[in-house]
Amino acid sequence: MTAPESRSGQAKPLDAGMFQPEISSFRLHLAAEGKAVKTVRTYTEAVQWFAAAHLRREGNRTRWEEVRKQDVQEWVAWLLGRYSAAYASNQYRALQQFFRWLAGEEEIPDPMGGLKPPRVPEKPVPVFTGEELPQLKRTCAGRGFQERRDAAMIALLEATGIRLSELAQIRYDPGDPRRSDVDLQLWEITVHGKGSKTRTVKISHDAARALDRYIRARARHAQAYRQQLWLGVGNRGPMTASGIYQVIVRRGRECGIDVFPHRFRHHFSHTWLDRGGAEGDLMELNGWTSPQMLRRYGASARSARARRSYDRVMQDPR
């Protein structure tokens, strides 16, 4: 097994040894539940890392039945000393899912019963300022294929807040609407989200216009027959999520702005709530099944409204 690199740049030990059979069964369980491939990998690697780096090396454990609450606490403390609280919390929740499954499957005690995840400090939601988005869009001015493609990507991200992976999976087929995710007549995009869940999102007039311009330029591309919407420059084939990420980051560098695709999701969610949009509608548009993220963006929007109220209430009457 090839071990991925940790955030410290060193490869994580993932040789779980005698603990591996149950981890493999857990992977099968997650896949059978329809969890996204990335989720399955993240959860199973978290358990493998815990088993390889702590249970085998430090705890001298040989069976899952021997794992105690203290093992988990020591592991989380070690993570918190080297990584962010958010990262340690994600690792904790992956272990929590595993031990819940194992307790039900093998009827053994859950060592994480009664434990609480590490506290993650609230951070401001990184939204764009009033000047940043116009500056970013100006980097895509022009009528060339690349400019129109990049402008359409940015416009869709701004208008919908969809995930990078969802943007990359958009399909386009002008001859068969059933094989296309783009409906410019209704200003709608069909999105293929996490766990194979599909939803339809609206797009703005500006996004529809930018996408229409790109599609006209795309029609002259040597690989216009491909079903994937986003194509590379120089008649290269469909773009991956990684390639799209690099495009967005590069456009940000051109105008001196720290830009990454997920920042548009932050901005969309914050703006929706700040303008009084319904929370339930935002959950539907964003493909959220848990209100956890909603609470974070709700706090951000309340803070913005409070600052505007301050300016209105406390302005100098003179």
Side-chain angles (χ1 to χ4, degrees), residues 13-315:
L14 297 180
D15 183 3
M18 67 289 291
F19 294 100
Q20 186 59 47
E22 289 80 3
I23 300 175
S24 297
S25 295
F26 179 55
R27 178 187 289 113
L28 179 62
H29 162 73
L30 294 173
E33 282 195 335
K35 293 288 192 295
V37 173
K38 183 179 178 181
T39 300
V40 174
R41 183 175 66 250
T42 299
Y43 279 25
T44 53
E45 285 184 359
V47 183
Q48 286 174 312
W49 191 20
F50 172 62
H54 182 78
L55 298 181
R56 297 186 68 194
R57 289 186 181 181
E58 306 296 332
N60 197 28
R61 308 291 192 218
T62 58
R63 296 181 303 155
W64 288 112
E65 292 90 332
E66 298 173 351
V67 179
R68 299 291 179 262
K69 183 177 297 187
Q70 184 178 355
D71 290 309
V72 178
Q73 291 172 321
E74 291 174 352
W75 177 244
V76 172
W78 183 86
L79 289 172
L80 287 170
R82 293 161 177 80
Y83 301 88
S84 69
Y87 185 70
S89 179
N90 288 338
Q91 294 292 305
Y92 174 95
R93 294 181 189 283
L95 290 179
Q96 188 178 52
Q97 292 295 318
F98 170 75
F99 281 115
R100 283 178 181 171
W101 168 83
L102 187 64
E105 194 76 10
E106 301 295 336
E107 297 184 350
I108 61 176
D110 180 354
M112 295 185 70
L115 291 181
K116 294 183 179 180
R119 180 179 174 275
V120 180
E122 287 288 343
K123 294 182 179 180
V125 174
V127 299
F128 292 105
T129 67
E131 296 297 324
E132 287 178 333
L133 278 176
Q135 289 176 350
L136 183 63
K137 293 174 184 178
R138 283 195 289 271
T139 67
C140 305
R143 299 182 180 182
F145 173 85
Q146 185 173 8
E147 288 79 14
R148 292 200 162 177
R149 183 201 63 189
D150 297 359
M153 288 179 179
I154 290 171
L156 279 186
L157 287 171
E158 179 189 5
T160 64
I162 59 177
R163 302 177 178 93
L164 172 62
S165 60
E166 296 169 343
L167 181 70
Q169 292 181 67
I170 295 176
R171 304 169 303 165
Y172 177 69
D173 188 333
D176 187 353
R178 295 170 300 178
R179 290 165 49 87
S180 183
D181 296 323
V182 178
D183 190 332
L184 290 179
Q185 299 301 314
L186 295 178
W187 295 5
E188 292 180 347
I189 299 289
T190 299
V191 176
H192 306 279
K194 289 184 176 181
S196 302
K197 296 177 182 177
T198 300
R199 68 186 190 280
T200 300
V201 300
K202 296 291 293 186
I203 62 176
S204 65
H205 174 266
D206 287 344
R209 182 171 55 185
L211 187 53
D212 178 63
R213 287 172 175 168
Y214 165 63
I215 286 174
R216 281 188 274 123
R218 183 186 184 278
R220 299 187 291 272
H221 195 284
Q223 299 202 38
Y225 65 91
R226 303 293 287 265
Q227 193 176 19
Q228 293 88 344
L229 175 63
W230 308 111
L231 301 175
V233 297
N235 290 329
R236 294 187 179 90
M239 298 182 68
T240 64
S242 176
I244 294 174
Y245 183 95
Q246 292 173 34
V247 166
I248 302 301
V249 170
R250 185 180 70 249
R251 289 297 183 182
R253 283 202 207 100
E254 290 177 13
C255 59
I257 299 173
D258 183 20
V259 181
F260 48 92
H262 206 72
R263 188 175 178 186
F264 288 92
R265 191 164 175 82
H266 294 313
H267 186 82
F268 173 80
S269 303
H270 170 90
T271 303
W272 178 274
L273 293 174
D274 186 39
R275 294 179 179 177
E279 294 182 346
D281 290 342
L282 180 61
M283 288 189 66
E284 178 67 24
L285 292 170
N286 277 348
W288 290 335
T289 56
S290 167
Q292 179 180 359
M293 295 304 296
L294 189 62
R295 288 192 293 270
R296 182 185 181 197
Y297 290 113
S300 171
R302 286 193 299 273
S303 175
R305 289 195 298 270
R307 292 194 299 275
R308 285 199 302 273
S309 294
Y310 179 92
D311 291 337
R312 175 176 54 82
V313 174
M314 299 301 292
Q315 62 183 340

